[in-house]
Amino acid sequence: MRRLAPWQWLLLLLLLYVGATEALRLWLGLLWAERLGLLLAALGVWAFINGRFVFAYYHALLASAWVRRLPLFAPGPGERLLVLAPHPDDEVLAAAGLMRRVHGAGGRVSVVYLTSGDAFDLAAGSPLPSKEAMRRLALRRMVEAWRGLEALGLPRERALFLGFPDQGLFQLFTTHYYLAYESPHTGLEAVAYPGVYRPGLPYTGKVLEATLVEILRELRPTRILLPSPLDAHRDHQATAYFGMRAAASLGLEGRLEYYVIHGGYQYPLPKGLHKGLPLYPPPRGRGLPWRRFPLSEEEVLLKEKAIRAHRSQMRLLGRFLLAFVRQNELFSPLPVPAKEVLTSEEGWTALEEREVL
């Protein structure tokens, strides 16, 4: 910020003096009702400007007491943790503290990135980047993922990049389960990035699911962390579906734990770095049996460092990403709420009536 010259300071003080004098003279000449009306008008203007910040901190304080009542989540000894991340950065947002704790306790942590984040056009440097620029972005985000894991003390070898299309996973689960999908962002129809798990695999849902089954069979994880299908992002939803199907094929359903990143309106509030606040359950995860994983001061600091390693994302989404650096992380053993906690308007009543008919 440019420093003010002495004459500019003098002019500023003079203006402040004249303004304060005139405001006092006006105030003394008003009736009490007029003063009250002026105060209410000023309060309304202030609330209009700062209302969202007041709401954010009110919500955070209200959530603090609620979060502390949640049951604790505790990893077991000798844990073999596998994290499924739709994009590079989802793993550290959801579970940087957990990954650090498991690794520090002698367990094994592996992260499987279904995509390399090659569809975020603004992160590539322009609103209309070329397909080559999007492919370069994928390589950059893979390097950032390595650096994020290294910030937590994890070796690069624990990262497995599958290289499937960003913003295309849902299509792979539905219309392109058998037919190859061409990414409109990169022009690719098959896995092509150097350093990926299986180069040359076609972009189909069947191949992606088979690859996940192969990895689960090879790594034999004791706990699998993946997005909840309630997450608002389509890639996260598809990651949940693929992960659940792959785990079920091997009888590993009981080892699944779920997280939510895109959790609803402005989640999590307030935006920005607030290390002293808890992370509260997301609106889209209402009814899930959340469990709280408290982080130590060191783990909070390392989580921030790991998130900042994703520089291409920090440049555009920094306040959103840093909002996950909180006192705890949250995981749910269920992907969707159990039937008994759902309200009738969510469909159970209608389904039961259909069964009776």
Side-chain angles (χ1 to χ4, degrees):
M1 181 181 295
R2 187 173 65 88
R3 298 180 61 181
L4 296 178
W7 68 269
Q8 292 173 320
W9 277 113
L10 180 61
L11 179 60
L12 179 60
L13 291 175
L14 181 61
L15 290 174
L16 290 175
Y17 173 76
V18 172
T21 302
E22 286 299 306
L24 180 61
R25 184 180 63 81
L26 176 63
W27 182 262
L28 294 176
L30 295 176
L31 300 175
W32 69 268
E34 293 172 330
R35 295 176 185 175
L36 178 61
L38 187 61
L39 284 174
L40 291 177
L43 181 61
V45 172
W46 180 87
F48 177 78
I49 296 173
N50 299 286
R52 64 190 184 99
F53 300 105
V54 174
F55 172 77
Y57 282 94
Y58 164 77
H59 191 280
L61 291 174
L62 190 65
S64 298
W66 179 29
V67 171
R68 291 190 181 96
R69 294 198 297 266
L70 293 175
L72 293 177
F73 174 89
E79 194 83 73
R80 298 190 300 274
L81 175 65
L82 175 62
V83 182
L84 297 184
H87 318 96
D89 74 11
D90 289 319
E91 76 290 356
V92 291
L93 296 179
L98 176 61
M99 292 192 293
R100 169 70 179 182
R101 182 85 57 89
V102 170
H103 178 73
R108 187 189 67 198
V109 178
S110 303
V111 184
V112 174
Y113 300 93
L114 275 69
T115 82
S116 295
D118 53 14
F120 192 4
D121 49 7
L122 294 179
S126 68
L128 297 173
S130 65
K131 291 180 171 58
E132 291 74 19
M134 298 305 292
R135 297 179 192 181
R136 289 195 298 271
L137 173 64
L139 299 178
R140 178 180 180 183
R141 295 194 67 179
M142 291 165 69
V143 172
E144 290 173 347
W146 281 334
R147 291 172 178 168
L149 294 182
E150 288 173 344
L152 301 175
L154 299 173
R156 292 187 175 189
E157 293 73 24
R158 305 319 304 165
L160 300 176
F161 297 98
L162 302 190
F164 284 85
D166 185 10
Q167 295 188 25
L169 296 184
F170 197 82
Q171 287 84 343
L172 266 59
F173 189 75
T174 53
T175 56
H176 289 269
Y177 189 80
Y178 295 105
L179 300 175
Y181 173 80
E182 180 180 350
S183 170
H185 305 281
T186 64
L188 297 175
E189 295 184 0
V191 177
Y193 299 121
V196 294
Y197 179 70
R198 288 280 188 273
L201 294 179
Y203 283 171
T204 70
K206 184 175 178 62
V207 168
L208 172 54
E209 187 175 319
T211 303
L212 289 176
V213 171
E214 177 183 327
I215 291 173
L216 292 179
R217 186 179 289 117
E218 176 184 344
L219 296 181
R220 297 178 294 107
T222 57
R223 197 181 304 270
I224 305 166
L225 195 62
L226 71 166
S228 164
L230 299 177
D231 194 295
H233 197 297
R234 283 294 186 91
D235 278 347
H236 288 238
Q237 295 170 15
T239 300
Y241 303 148
F242 280 120
M244 288 189 290
R245 284 174 58 90
S249 71
L250 298 175
L252 303 178
E253 303 95 319
R255 304 182 186 186
L256 298 176
E257 295 281 346
Y258 300 89
Y259 64 85
V260 171
I261 300 298
H262 305 276
Y265 177 71
Q266 292 295 312
Y267 179 79
L269 289 172
K271 290 293 184 289
L273 185 61
H274 302 281
K275 300 178 185 179
L277 294 179
L279 182 66
Y280 58 90
R284 292 184 67 94
R286 181 172 60 90
L288 289 177
W290 291 105
R291 295 188 286 181
R292 174 173 56 96
F293 181 64
L295 304 183
S296 66
E297 290 186 10
E298 179 191 17
E299 289 165 346
V300 171
L301 292 174
L302 290 176
K303 179 165 187 170
E304 179 188 354
K305 184 178 180 181
I307 289 175
R308 289 187 183 277
H310 295 265
R311 294 183 178 180
S312 64
Q313 309 308 293
M314 283 293 300
R315 183 170 59 87
L316 299 168
L317 303 172
R319 286 176 55 78
F320 169 69
L321 302 182
L322 292 176
F324 285 88
V325 182
R326 301 289 176 96
Q327 293 179 332
N328 62 279
E329 294 170 340
L330 291 171
F331 308 110
S332 169
L334 293 181
V336 295
K339 176 181 176 181
E340 55 267 21
V341 303
L342 292 175
T343 57
S344 59
E345 62 265 25
E346 289 176 295
W348 283 109
T349 301
L351 289 174
E352 290 171 347
E353 290 174 354
R354 287 184 61 184
E355 289 175 0
V356 170
L357 295 174

